[in-house]
Amino acid sequence: MRKGIVAVFLLFFAYSMSSFEMHKFYMSISQINYAPEKKMLQITTRIFVDDLNKALQKKYNKETFLGSSKESAESVDLLKKYLTDNFSIKVNGQSKPMNFLSKEMEDNVLICYLSIKDVSKIKSLEIYNSILIDCFVEQQNILHVTAFGNKKSFLFTESSAKQVLKY
């Protein structure tokens, strides 16, 4: 009788564990630093390159190979367009264009360097970050903002893609 109960328990346990699907963790990490002496916002964003390539293919119907030897100038242009469409900053209520400076690979993460020039004073920052959310609803984007000696962190998700900081 006892062996029967143990067997049923083990079968139930095995069945319940097999019904759970393993989910990949989707996230990006970005950093914004205000450099008042340069009148500039310096932006770094880190995105898993395989997820980014999937998102670009889904959005633009073109296969991209960012971070590989097959990378093309067209792929980089699509990356720039994607970042412009999915990551934006308003300074004091005014939209500011981001300058794409460069990118590099670190393991399986694409690191993008951007800047916003001519930022002499900051009263507010409105940040929109929907990177990869259009492709992966589980996506979470972490953002750290350092300005005036203070560091604030935010989490952007499908239900919360915009944050406002007031100084």
Side-chain angles (χ1 to χ4, degrees):
M1 173 83 170
R2 187 175 179 148
K3 285 184 182 180
I5 293 173
V6 170
V8 170
F9 175 75
L10 288 176
L11 284 172
F12 175 75
F13 181 74
Y15 174 75
S16 65
M17 291 307 290
S18 67
S19 66
F20 290 108
E21 203 175 299
M22 294 300 286
H23 290 282
K24 186 178 174 186
F25 187 67
Y26 296 101
M27 69 174 291
S28 75
I29 300 176
S30 300
Q31 172 75 40
I32 299 172
N33 292 323
Y34 177 51
E37 69 283 353
K38 296 180 181 180
K39 297 182 180 180
M40 177 186 303
L41 291 174
Q42 300 166 327
I43 304 151
T44 305
T45 186
R46 297 170 182 270
I47 309 167
F48 286 108
V49 74
D50 56 337
D51 297 339
L52 183 57
N53 279 319
K54 286 177 190 172
L56 293 176
Q57 183 174 7
K58 181 179 179 182
K59 184 160 184 154
Y60 302 114
N61 295 317
K62 295 196 183 222
E63 192 168 14
T64 58
F65 299 95
L66 292 170
S68 76
S69 59
K70 295 181 182 179
E71 180 179 285
S72 67
E74 181 183 18
S75 295
V76 175
D77 288 341
L78 289 175
L79 167 65
K80 291 175 185 178
K81 180 174 176 28
Y82 185 83
L83 290 174
T84 299
D85 292 345
N86 292 281
F87 190 83
S88 62
I89 300 173
K90 288 183 181 179
V91 179
N92 304 328
Q94 300 292 316
S95 291
K96 294 285 189 173
M98 274 194 272
N99 305 305
F100 183 90
L101 303 174
S102 66
K103 63 175 183 48
E104 66 178 324
M105 284 295 299
E106 185 176 282
D107 296 323
N108 61 345
V109 174
L110 184 71
I111 305 170
C112 300
Y113 300 98
L114 307 114
S115 69
I116 296 177
K117 296 180 180 178
D118 301 322
V119 180
S120 56
K121 286 187 175 185
I122 297 178
K123 295 179 185 174
S124 68
L125 288 176
E126 182 178 314
I127 303 158
Y128 174 76
N129 185 345
S130 65
I131 292 173
L132 300 183
I133 290 174
D134 55 345
C135 193
F136 307 104
V137 293
E138 306 92 356
Q139 177 71 24
Q140 297 182 346
N141 298 319
I142 298 169
L143 174 72
H144 305 291
V145 180
T146 303
F148 310 111
N150 295 320
K151 182 176 181 179
K152 298 199 180 216
S153 298
F154 300 96
L155 179 66
F156 296 84
T157 62
E158 181 183 32
S159 62
S160 177
K162 189 189 308 184
Q163 296 287 338
V164 178
L165 287 99
K166 298 207 183 263
Y167 295 99

